[in-house]
Amino acid sequence: MTRLQIASYRMPAASLGPENPLPPLCPPRTSSEGVRFHESVPEADRTYVGYGAVGGCLPHRLQDVYDRVRRPRAFRAAVLENDFLRATFLLELGGRLWSLLHKPSQRELLYVNPVFQPANLAVRDAWFSGGVEWNIGVIGHTPYTCSPLFAARVRGDDGSPVLRLYEWDRLRGTPYQIDAYLPNGSPFLFVRVRIINPHTHEVPMYWWSNMAVPESPDVRVVVPADRAYHFGYRGDMRLVPIPICDGIDVTYATNVPTSADYFYRISEGRRPWIAALDKQGRGLFQASTSRLIGRKLFVWGMGPGGRRWPEFLAVPDRPYIEIQAGLARTQLECLPMPARTEWSWLETYGRMEADPRAVHGSDWAEAQQAVESRLNTMLPQGRLEDELKRTQDMANRPPEEILQPGSGWGALERRRRERAGEPPFCGKALVFSDASLGADQIPWVALLERGELPVGQPSDVPGAWMVQSEWRDLLEASVRQGRGAHWLAWLHLGVMYYHDGQVEAARRAWTQSLEQAPSAWARRNLAVLAKHEGRLAEAADLFLDAHRMRSDLTPLAIECGQALLDAGRSREFVAWLDTLSPDVRRNDRVRVLEARAALEIGDLDKVERILADTMELANLREGEAVLSDLWFAVKERRLAARENVPIDAKLRERVRREFPPPAWIDFRMSTPSTGASGSQGD
């Protein structure tokens, strides 16, 4: 019999910390910026690259105040289990499928991270590795990866339990639903996904299911494709052959020298699936119905960053790779989702066991056939397509029990639509009750029902952000009517305008907010605007003013320090450090800024002391090489001074060859391993 129960899952965990109250204001951009297409990429496959890209993560707030201090913590988990599989989902962390245990063999099919350690890889910053992540809406790791989803118990057609995970995606204004179930006696986990576009306009849509599996020299990724789009961390995209690319077999992750994505180009009409199999031909497979056409392999690579990142995200000696499945061919694009439509598909996960000689043989076609024939025997594609249709009634069935609430934004949108006389954005399968409304939504409920956004003191945190056009219209009407024309209303309007690209309207709104009541929030936003427009000195002054008003706010202090350095005011930055509280002063990002300032004023000893302090920058961004850059800059200056030579390309190349940085600060993802050994000091 299949069972669904709520349990505690304990592991060492870093603190996620509070959300950053500052709005993440970003200038408009596209994801195709910096992408260089090789002539091998057909024009037809470039059509949607960049389509649907957004700047920043508004209306969400950043999750960037986490640490690297791990303490035992119990996470709320849902465990779905039958005689063959035990699937564990972390309900507080995006509903991630954390573990998939094959019970007869006692083999874990996924990479299970032994710790919870956020790092800066998602659109809201915080992300963690392991399991299967459900990514929706915008290019990148989902905004919900470190947030609770709604979780509910649903009854399947055969009476067995179904775990339903769902949320209202604020970025696209679309609800989405994940129904996970294990039929009695089934060796496969089924995951049925539905996305609803309730609007009268097209919506750019994105989905990728990211599966982490252990990295090992004997693990081969097999997929029904002979070509792939290779995307490197230097921004180049080209069509390459599979399995042999540039003289190496890239279906074995440990052969790949640098971090890379391989987006497999599965031919139309071929069954979409992917598998990661060990030397015995055993491991995880994932297959889907036809809508999910994309498959991908991500490798960290064997370079210094490729070895450092997995342990930074987990513990030493636990490397992993990711095999992935998505709506589009690559992750550089969204697809146009027509107005008032639903997209549904079915994914299945389970244990594959294929002929190891064929899987690891030199004949790629034979390797593909060995896996696909076995898959077709276990689970024919026709059966999967039929299962998608069969479960339509289940997908529309209301929950029997809400196991965990998600955010209150879906309930707020439901109330707005009811008041405006608009049709519901979902059916009875997704319950967004008023019980989910919380402190973030209460001010917006007041605007909706009383026509005025409640206002507090200018020193108060301004609350959650909203950029949806309907809410902007309500707030504008409130201000016009004089019922809520206060500093907070103008502050929020400025954020809405800037998100929509109305820069001058945003400037006027934030200026009006300051005239109503001086606040750190409006000054900070005007500082960001000045920075984006290249007025760096003015930006630094505005940041300093804002920081004086809220000197306790670490994210604001980091922005202020960065602005001083951007304006070339390094000595002023050093003096400004003395004004910081001890807690802010100890922040890792502030210490890195201090090292940059020390480098600029020639205090190389201080830079080395900071780097030698086993520096671990908690929110280091994927692809960011600030620590190794500081290391090389110090070595270049010392070597140039000692030998009385200029710092030129020749010297820089020599420094990188002779003075590799310590492993703990080397996160370079596009640098292959050279086997070089060198001094760790000077």
Side-chain angles (χ1 to χ4, degrees), residues 428-540:
K428 295 181 179 180
L430 305 184
V431 178
F432 294 97
S433 70
D434 286 353
S436 63
L437 293 169
D440 283 344
Q441 292 81 40
I442 294 306
W444 299 100
V445 171
L447 174 64
L448 180 66
E449 297 184 348
R450 300 200 299 271
E452 180 178 351
L453 191 71
V455 64
Q457 296 301 313
S459 58
D460 295 342
V461 172
W465 308 107
M466 186 74 81
V467 296
Q468 192 175 330
S469 60
E470 292 87 352
W471 289 98
R472 183 193 62 217
D473 293 343
L474 287 170
L475 190 55
E476 285 177 332
S478 172
V479 170
R480 282 196 308 269
Q481 295 164 7
R483 301 183 62 184
H486 46 65
W487 71 270
L488 183 60
W490 285 111
L491 180 77
H492 277 282
L493 280 172
V495 173
M496 293 171 169
Y497 293 145
Y498 198 70
H499 177 76
D500 287 342
Q502 301 178 52
V503 175
E504 291 308 315
R507 192 192 320 273
R508 290 192 297 270
W510 291 329
T511 301
Q512 182 67 31
S513 178
L514 285 176
E515 291 176 0
Q516 294 285 335
S519 73
W521 319 108
R523 280 199 171 91
R524 177 268 178 183
N525 291 352
L526 287 169
V528 173
L529 176 55
K531 178 181 178 179
H532 290 168
E533 293 177 338
R535 295 177 283 113
L536 300 183
E538 181 183 348

Side-chain angles (χ1 to χ4, degrees), residues 223-252:
V223 65
D226 302 315
R227 297 179 297 167
Y229 289 115
H230 174 276
F231 185 72
Y233 279 74
R234 292 174 177 170
D236 56 308
M237 182 174 173
R238 59 193 175 108
L239 188 61
V240 301
I242 297 295
I244 305 300
C245 173
D246 297 329
I248 60 174
D249 188 337
V250 296
T251 61
Y252 293 92

Side-chain angles (χ1 to χ4, degrees), residues 212-232:
V213 294
E215 177 197 272
S216 175
D218 69 348
V219 169
R220 190 178 206 186
V221 174
V222 187
V223 65
D226 302 315
R227 297 179 297 167
Y229 289 115
H230 174 276
F231 185 72

Side-chain angles (χ1 to χ4, degrees), residues 356-382:
R357 291 174 298 179
V359 167
H360 297 283
S362 59
D363 188 329
W364 177 237
E366 185 180 0
Q368 295 172 317
Q369 181 60 31
V371 178
E372 186 157 353
S373 62
R374 179 66 179 142
L375 178 59
N376 289 338
T377 299
M378 296 189 300
L379 188 62
Q381 183 67 6

